[in-house]
Amino acid sequence: MSRLQVVSGKGGTGKTTVAAALALALATEGKRTLLVEVEGRQGIAQLFETEALPYEERKIAVSSGGGEVYALAIDAERALLDYLQMFYKLGSAGRALKKIGAIDFATTIAPGVRDVLLTGKACEAVRRRTKQGSYAYDYVVMDAPPTGRITRFLNVNDEVAGLAKFGPIYNQAQAVMRVLKSPQTAVHLVTLLEEMPVQETSDGVAELRAADLPVGRVIVNMVRPHVLDEAAVRGAADGRRTEIAAALTAAGVSGARSLVTPLLEQATDHARRVALEREQRAALAGLELPSYELPLLSEGVDLAGLYRLSKELRAQQQQTAAPNGRSDGRHGAGQGTGTGS
């Protein structure tokens, strides 16, 4: 079971929504999940309809069976202050550095250090244990940067290597990479059944694999239903307009003849979309990764919609689990190349 679930995706694919739904899905039957945000957009707070998240772990939701979801918006400056206190015991001196802008300078001038701090905070939550010896959180879900930046963001060891060959920063980067490149981690990519998101997903998978980072699954979001039979659409386009008009008239539709052309145009557009989606599914299948599909919520994603998506994720995981309770290798949250859920 991969305890750190990293969710990335091209902008506009709904990766934050999927990360939130995944956190809810994992927090079942008494489980505790920490949902981590690293980009400072407060997207999690908006989804859960709560106030802006502070730099502290706060319970924001309860899932089925009494599971709990906590959330944390990681701030690089605050994380660096924690780091300086942990390793150098700076205390008030660290706060003085913040006042004169030194902390902001450090996290801006050395982006590799910033990423070590952000990923390090999430990895610390993965490793943290209670006084009784159990893990503080069963799962940590990270709403990560977009696909185009995810490999560089996670591969902090390479970034820091040019800044430090030894010392606390270097050691911290090594500790982070031990988690990120282990079976404890799964990196999921969110996509749509559209050409550009699918291509970016394919590129992202290749980059993650080249960096030896554990790819989890592809999550296809906002899937629209197929409401028309393609053979019927082709038959209508082949000259059955009179028959369609007669059927509409028999059904009590007034002005049926004037409706046939716009209806057929919509049906043709639908058939083209279905054909395009079939092509994109074939491209995703070529990645040889397990996948989930989440429906498009026509009314938009509110809190109720978020719970609906989490229920859908749980249902798909249960449907694709093998009889012995283990994943069959093709499905199940977090399953993928070299990793479990």
Side-chain angles (χ1 to χ4, degrees), residues 154-176:
L154 294 177
N155 205 24
V156 293
N157 192 45
D158 287 348
E159 293 295 307
V160 172
L163 299 172
K165 302 297 184 182
F166 54 87
I169 285 286
Y170 178 79
N171 293 337
Q172 174 77 351
Q174 291 290 309
V176 167

Side-chain angles (χ1 to χ4, degrees), residues 36-327:
V36 173
E37 183 178 76
V38 298
E39 294 186 284
R41 296 185 295 106
Q42 290 292 335
I44 293 173
Q46 295 174 34
L47 280 170
F48 284 94
E49 301 174 5
T50 186
E51 59 187 23
L53 296 174
Y55 182 64
E56 63 183 38
E57 294 159 19
R58 171 182 293 177
K59 186 166 76 170
I60 59 171
V62 176
S63 188
S64 64
E68 298 176 329
V69 177
Y70 287 73
L72 170 66
I74 303 178
D75 176 83
E77 292 186 18
R78 293 287 299 275
L80 182 53
L81 285 173
D82 286 351
Y83 177 86
L84 292 173
Q85 174 61 23
M86 183 183 303
F87 287 100
Y88 298 104
K89 309 300 181 184
L90 287 186
S92 59
R95 292 189 291 274
L97 287 173
K98 178 176 174 63
K99 287 183 180 180
I100 65 175
I103 300 297
D104 180 61
F105 175 78
T107 56
T108 302
I109 201 67
V113 172
R114 180 180 182 276
D115 291 348
V116 168
L117 295 167
L118 294 174
T119 55
K121 191 70 176 177
C123 291
E124 182 276 326
V126 171
R127 296 189 299 260
R128 191 190 314 158
R129 292 182 180 270
T130 65
K131 293 180 179 179
Q132 291 72 35
S134 60
Y135 285 116
Y137 293 102
D138 297 287
Y139 300 98
V140 176
V141 178
M142 180 193 293
D143 177 20
T147 313
R149 295 195 290 116
I150 186 60
T151 300
R152 184 174 181 179
F153 174 76
L154 294 177
N155 205 24
V156 293
N157 192 45
D158 287 348
E159 293 295 307
V160 172
L163 299 172
K165 302 297 184 182
F166 54 87
I169 285 286
Y170 178 79
N171 293 337
Q172 174 77 351
Q174 291 290 309
V176 167
M177 293 312 299
R178 281 195 292 273
V179 174
L180 294 179
K181 289 193 174 183
S182 77
Q184 292 186 79
T185 300
V187 184
H188 310 300
L189 297 182
V190 182
T191 188
L192 307 179
L193 289 176
E194 298 173 6
E195 187 173 3
M196 288 185 64
V198 168
Q199 183 59 55
E200 189 161 317
T201 297
S202 178
D203 294 342
V205 168
E207 291 175 0
L208 288 165
R209 285 171 169 167
D212 292 325
L213 288 163
V215 185
R217 68 171 55 251
V218 173
I219 302 176
V220 184
N221 195 24
M222 304 186 212
V223 177
R224 290 174 287 187
H226 295 170
V227 295
L228 295 176
D229 179 80
E230 292 179 70
V233 172
R234 287 194 299 272
D238 289 339
R240 296 172 58 193
R241 294 170 180 265
T242 301
E243 181 181 337
I244 293 172
L248 290 173
T249 300
V253 178
S254 60
R257 289 186 178 278
S258 64
L259 292 175
V260 171
T261 296
L263 285 174
L264 286 180
E265 288 175 351
Q266 290 186 36
T268 301
D269 289 343
H270 176 81
R272 290 196 189 103
R273 175 174 65 79
V274 170
L276 175 63
E277 290 177 350
R278 185 183 300 110
E279 293 175 3
Q280 301 312 312
R281 276 197 176 91
L284 292 173
L287 298 176
E288 298 182 345
L289 288 170
S291 65
Y292 280 158
E293 292 196 1
L294 293 175
L296 172 68
L297 302 183
S298 57
E299 66 276 13
V301 181
D302 55 9
L303 191 55
L306 202 58
Y307 275 88
R308 176 184 166 188
L309 292 177
S310 72
K311 183 178 180 180
E312 182 68 26
L313 283 171
R314 288 197 300 272
Q316 290 191 44
Q317 195 278 334
Q318 292 167 358
Q319 289 170 2
T320 55
N324 63 359
R326 296 175 60 86
S327 171

